[in-house]
């Protein structure tokens, strides 16, 4: 009986043009969003600005998927969705394990940057920053963004 219900739900999503995967991951993978990530410095929007002004070689990684990035992104950020983040992909955008690197995604309900920054830690990267409020906080504070 449960199989038939699940199949019916999948059929409804298919007929409505929605994807189960897309709806389940609209704000990122379903991971608990912590207040802090050990080994990573958490910053707010002002902290991002301050950090970028003081750190000329700061790398900003946008962990969102391309559909989200199309809505706008923080200037000079590099698109590297969490689902494509691994030691090899990080090595292509971060020159040294000690390079200052900031990760962000959609906001406090988004788990994509959490996943990405944890991968960076496991790959041995240091000097990591996490913008927990993400793009949502950035926009709420009317900070400039790029939209292509």
């Amino acid at each position: 009986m449960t199989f038939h219900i699940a199949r019916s739900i999948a059929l409804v999503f298919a007929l409505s043009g929605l994807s189960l995967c897309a709806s389940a991951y609209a704000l990122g993978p379903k991971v608990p969003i912590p207040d802090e990530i050990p080994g990573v410095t958490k910053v707010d929007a002002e902290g991002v600005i301050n950090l970028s002004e003081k750190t000329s070689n700061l790398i900003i990684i946008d962990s969102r998927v391309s559909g989200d990035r199309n809505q706008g992104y923080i200037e000079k950020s590099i698109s590297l969705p969490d689902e494509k983040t691994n030691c090899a992909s990080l090595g292509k955008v971060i020159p040294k394990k000690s390079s200052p690197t900031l990760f962000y995604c959609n906001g406090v309900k988004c788990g994509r940057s959490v996943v990405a920054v944890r991968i960076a830690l496991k790959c041995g990267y240091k000097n990591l920053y996490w913008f927990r409020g993400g793009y949502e906080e950035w926009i709420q504070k009317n900070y400039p963004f790029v939209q292509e």
Side-chain angles (χ1 to χ4, degrees):
M1 179 98 170
T2 306
F3 173 75
H4 294 295
I5 293 170
R7 207 167 93 186
S8 297
I9 292 170
L11 181 60
V12 168
F13 271 91
L15 291 174
S16 67
L18 297 174
S19 163
L20 285 170
C21 183
S23 64
Y25 288 95
L27 293 173
K30 297 297 180 188
V31 297
I33 311 302
D35 287 329
E36 305 282 339
I37 300 173
V40 178
T41 303
K42 180 176 73 172
V43 296
D44 59 10
E46 292 76 20
V48 173
I49 292 169
N50 189 26
L51 192 60
S52 62
E53 288 173 350
K54 292 195 307 188
T55 312
S56 61
N57 60 340
L58 177 67
I59 298 162
I60 301 174
I61 296 182
D62 181 347
S63 300
R64 301 174 302 156
V65 294
S66 61
D68 291 337
R69 188 167 169 89
N70 290 340
Q71 303 303 311
Y73 56 91
I74 297 172
E75 187 175 7
K76 298 182 183 177
S77 66
I78 298 166
S79 178
L80 181 58
D82 65 312
E83 58 201 19
K84 295 181 181 178
T85 301
N86 55 49
C87 295
S89 64
L90 288 168
K92 291 178 183 178
V93 297
I94 306 173
K96 298 177 185 174
K97 300 269 184 177
S98 61
S99 297
T101 307
L102 178 133
F103 291 82
Y104 79 93
C105 60
N106 283 319
V108 296
K109 295 179 183 175
C110 177
R112 294 188 184 283
S113 59
V114 174
V115 170
V117 79
R118 285 180 174 159
I119 292 169
L121 282 168
K122 288 180 183 174
C123 294
Y125 288 90
K126 309 284 183 223
N127 207 6
L128 300 176
Y129 298 87
W130 177 42
F131 178 21
R132 186 176 190 268
Y135 192 68
E136 179 180 55
E137 179 183 332
W138 192 261
I139 292 302
Q140 285 174 350
K141 294 189 175 184
N142 292 314
Y143 289 139
F145 63 93
V146 177
Q147 189 172 17
E148 295 176 359

